[in-house]
Amino acid sequence: MHKLACPALLFLLLSLSWSKTVISSPSGAPRYQSIFSFGDSFADTGNNPIVFGWYSVFDPVTRPPYGTTFFGRPTGRNGDGRLIIDFIAENLGLPYVPPTLAHNGSFRRGANFAVGAATALDAGFFHERDIPGGSSKFPLNTSLGVQLEWFESMKPSLCRTARECKKFLGRSLFLVGEFGVNDYHFSFQRKTVQEVRSFVPDVVATISIAIERLIKHGARSLVVPGVIPSGCSPPILTKFAGAPPAAYDSKTGCLTAHNELGMHHNVLLQVVLSRLRAKHRHVKIIYADFFGPIMEMVESPHKFGFEEDVLMVCCGGPGRYGMNSTVPCGDAAATTCRDPSARLYWDGVHLTEAANRHIADVWLGEINSSTGVSRKQGAKGPCRLGRHKI
């Protein structure tokens, strides 16, 4: 991307973001009565053990040390403690968002449809291309479209009339993602980075269609995260451990091409979101930067209390990044770091509670503001110049 493209894009994003209606408390802060979440393991609060059971796939998150930092036991979350969505719920004064497949109570205060390993694109897209190949059952039939169908099946129990639904869903916060990481990570098993890059428009279009669908149902406040810097993700670094030195960023140790793909996704997503804001000026559509906060932690680990070797996972088996495909976190042979709060990565792609807290703080700055576009994107987001330039 040319250097002038990002300022131009940021101007477009900012110019399209001002005309929004935000439901506010007397103090001016947004007030939400419930949270509805769609996504993958970054947001899943307990659906994945149920879904994995359907397919007879073992799920390591059901064993310690998952959940021990905060909950004191495994909860079905992919982490040592709270996820980003948990910190958001706490900040908004709402209960933790219950996983729809593992909760028998009311969903009036929110529902979480996210499932670990979920993709934006339907499973058939990958199976037709023999991705990821071999005997793998992934991706499972838990795509964004499937999760939307689950929401639509639940909707009659939440509100009955169009007027009631407009009022109820208009006072709810919708978290749409993150989506895209699994689409790309599964594809990396069989495709080159350049080949996977060709899937990005389809992934972003699928997210856009989902947002339109939710708005039609009555959603008025939506948070749409971008993707992570996959080139810094321990599973990707482990898989491509034989890459030549030129493939790595010399200062971070991350794989440059994989990070550039993520930045490409995030730029296309922000362009789509700006168009949706222009089309639906009564709706608050927030872009949540996932890439920038992680890069900040990778580049300045000491600033966040992390150890110097920031790409090492806390829980796993032997290997350069503390990862081993035969010794997952929770296995009897796995080891767990002494202090998870001193690590960025928990068991691989997933983050520690400490990292999730920082990202949640960044997102909440946008959720609690009157605009859905981060004014810091030029400094930390996907348009960043220098070694993160597209």
Side-chain angles (χ1 to χ4, degrees):
M1 178 174 286
H2 297 297
K3 289 187 177 181
L4 292 179
C6 284
L9 173 60
L10 290 173
F11 177 79
L12 171 65
L13 293 171
L14 288 168
S15 66
L16 291 174
S17 68
W18 303 122
S19 179
K20 298 186 182 69
T21 300
V22 182
I23 300 169
S24 301
S25 66
S27 65
R31 177 185 294 155
Y32 301 105
Q33 301 302 312
S34 54
I35 297 175
F36 293 96
S37 170
F38 307 83
D40 55 21
S41 53
F42 288 115
D44 183 0
T45 53
N47 285 320
N48 66 99
I50 306 298
V51 173
F52 282 27
W54 295 345
Y55 292 87
S56 300
V57 175
F58 176 71
D59 193 348
V61 306
T62 58
R63 304 184 296 192
Y66 284 90
T68 53
T69 291
F70 182 79
F71 299 100
R73 60 180 176 80
T75 63
R77 290 168 172 80
N78 282 267
D80 63 308
R82 287 164 290 185
L83 306 179
I84 298 169
I85 187 175
D86 296 316
F87 287 112
I88 291 174
E90 286 180 0
N91 180 273
L92 298 179
L94 294 171
Y96 294 134
V97 187
T100 57
L101 303 177
H103 178 70
N104 295 321
S106 170
F107 292 103
R108 291 281 300 179
R109 302 301 302 279
N112 197 340
F113 303 93
V115 181
T119 53
L121 301 174
D122 289 337
F125 175 92
F126 302 96
H127 298 319
E128 290 168 3
R129 293 162 175 79
D130 195 27
I131 297 172
S135 60
S136 175
K137 297 180 180 179
F138 291 97
L140 308 178
N141 189 34
T142 57
S143 67
L144 174 53
V146 171
Q147 293 179 30
L148 282 172
E149 290 174 2
W150 293 346
F151 166 74
E152 288 166 348
S153 296
M154 179 185 288
K155 185 182 173 185
S157 70
L158 301 172
C159 53
R160 289 162 294 183
T161 66
R163 183 176 180 179
E164 184 183 348
C165 288
K166 181 179 179 181
K167 181 178 180 180
F168 176 74
L169 298 177
R171 300 183 71 179
S172 302
L173 181 66
F174 286 79
L175 302 179
V176 188
E178 167 277 328
F179 280 104
V181 170
N182 286 318
D183 298 75
Y184 306 139
H185 285 204
F186 284 136
S187 299
F188 289 147
Q189 306 300 313
R190 303 281 288 185
K191 304 291 183 180
T192 66
V193 175
Q194 198 59 38
E195 288 173 326
V196 176
R197 187 184 176 96
S198 69
F199 300 162
V200 174
D202 291 330
V203 171
V204 172
T206 300
I207 297 170
S208 177
I209 292 169
I211 293 168
E212 292 262 32
R213 200 160 146 186
L214 288 169
I215 292 172
K216 187 174 181 180
H217 280 295
R220 292 298 176 265
S221 298
L222 303 98
V223 177
V224 187
V227 296
I228 63 171
S230 292
C232 302
S233 182
I236 299 301
L237 288 165
T238 299
K239 175 173 177 53
F240 297 99
Y248 298 88
D249 183 303
S250 61
K251 294 185 178 180
T252 64
C254 301
L255 287 162
T256 304
H258 295 77
N259 276 358
E260 288 178 345
L261 182 142
M263 290 187 281
H264 176 58
H265 169 104
N266 291 341
V267 167
L268 291 189
L269 178 61
Q270 289 178 80
V271 170
V272 165
L273 295 185
S274 72
R275 292 172 182 162
L276 290 173
R277 292 188 192 102
K279 181 178 179 181
H280 303 282
R281 293 188 175 274
H282 60 297
V283 178
K284 180 178 181 180
I285 303 174
I286 302 165
Y287 171 73
D289 183 11
F290 214 163
F291 194 106
I294 292 179
M295 286 308 305
E296 186 179 14
M297 290 184 278
V298 168
E299 294 171 345
S300 306
H302 293 300
K303 177 181 175 182
F304 302 92
F306 296 149
E307 295 177 5
E308 186 65 32
D309 196 357
V310 71
L311 301 179
M312 281 285 292
V313 304
C314 174
C315 182
R320 162 64 185 87
Y321 302 99
M323 285 201 65
N324 188 300
S325 60
T326 62
V327 186
C329 179
D331 188 89
T335 58
T336 305
C337 66
R338 181 182 60 82
D339 182 10
S341 69
R343 297 290 179 92
L344 166 59
Y345 292 104
W346 167 243
D347 63 350
V349 69
H350 307 116
L351 308 172
T352 61
E353 179 180 276
N356 286 328
R357 182 192 297 274
H358 169 60
I359 296 166
D361 285 344
V362 174
W363 293 9
L364 282 163
E366 300 305 321
I367 293 170
N368 292 323
S369 75
S370 60
T371 173
V373 180
S374 171
R375 294 179 178 85
K376 297 181 180 179
Q377 284 170 184
K380 296 179 182 177
C383 287
R384 188 175 185 173
L385 300 181
R387 64 178 176 276
H388 300 313
K389 180 177 65 178
I390 297 176

